[in-house]
Amino acid sequence: MTDSTARRVTANLSLTLDGRYTGPGGPADMGAILPYATTEVARGHLTRIWESATTAVLGRRNAEGFLGFWPTVAVDENADPRDRGYAKWLVDAEKVVFSTTLTAAPWERTRLVNAPAADVVTDLKAVGSGDILVNSSASIIKALLAADLLDRLYLMICPEITGGGPRLFDDGLPASRWRLTHHETGELGELAVVYERVR
């Protein structure tokens, strides 16, 4: 893309059938999502999310968790090629990490920000090229939904109900309409969907 105003803001998140991104046990309660993270459909979805992105936006918790995992995948010749592709992209991409506590960037090519997500992403849209991917960071995705700044949603729907835990789509979001542009169902009943914001 050469037109800087054409940068799309995309977001990726896995959800349960009842709309939760973690279970009732808190951020580490991923038991309803992890069984579906390495299926064929999930790995194809993982490739889809980063192919046109040049900037990764992360919350502090994800940035630290990803740092402990993905760089090792990037250099693991035995890893699934789709996992390695994503890992290499993430290591090499420009990264923007939201944090109120970090004092030093946890990755190379990373800058820390402590400002409203909508303001930071609006500034990112004004420069550079390629998609801006908010990667599995629900608090940032929620803020961008509230500001109507998301152009595309990549969702993995896992066929489980947790009965508790935080939801992505909280009450009070502005009304919006989305167009389904991709859907794929896996052998375990997981569903990969891509929605484009209709403006």
Side-chain angles (χ1 to χ4, degrees):
M1 295 180 189
T2 54
D3 179 3
S4 64
T5 61
R7 291 194 85 180
R8 285 180 303 198
V9 183
T10 68
N12 171 58
L13 198 62
S14 294
L15 301 173
T16 60
L17 282 180
D18 52 344
R20 323 272 184 178
Y21 51 89
T22 68
D29 187 355
M30 301 295 287
I33 289 173
L34 286 179
Y36 310 95
T38 56
T39 66
E40 288 298 303
V41 164
R43 283 191 159 124
H45 192 66
L46 183 68
T47 299
R48 198 173 299 114
I49 69 171
W50 66 264
E51 285 180 319
S52 58
T54 56
T55 302
V57 174
L58 298 158
R60 190 253 328 148
R61 185 179 290 119
N62 275 351
E64 291 182 325
F66 285 12
L67 178 60
F69 179 73
W70 288 110
T72 60
V73 175
V75 296
D76 181 357
E77 294 182 6
N78 296 315
D80 186 284
R82 294 161 294 184
D83 293 350
R84 284 190 75 195
Y86 169 76
K88 288 179 177 179
W89 170 80
L90 186 60
V91 168
D92 292 339
E94 171 195 24
K95 290 169 283 294
V96 177
V97 174
F98 283 81
S99 176
T100 59
T101 57
L102 291 177
T103 56
W107 297 61
E108 293 180 4
R109 291 175 287 288
T110 300
R111 83 184 151 95
L112 298 175
V113 294
N114 180 6
D119 295 347
V120 172
V121 168
T122 297
D123 290 345
L124 286 172
K125 283 174 62 79
V127 295
S129 61
D131 289 353
I132 300 160
L133 171 63
V134 184
N135 205 344
S136 300
S137 296
S139 61
I140 300 168
I141 296 171
K142 287 182 181 191
L144 297 180
L145 282 168
D148 196 16
L149 283 172
L150 285 179
D151 301 305
R152 177 181 287 172
L153 280 170
Y154 297 98
L155 300 176
M156 277 292 300
I157 310 301
C158 305
E160 299 198 18
I161 292 173
T162 64
R167 285 192 168 101
L168 176 62
F169 300 110
D170 291 328
D171 288 346
L173 289 173
S176 58
R177 191 160 59 94
W178 299 78
R179 182 176 72 253
L180 180 68
T181 58
H182 180 88
H183 63 93
E184 192 174 356
T185 306
E187 292 183 1
L188 300 177
E190 74 280 16
L191 183 64
V193 293
V194 182
Y195 285 102
E196 303 277 353
R197 175 74 170 93
V198 176
R199 299 189 188 280

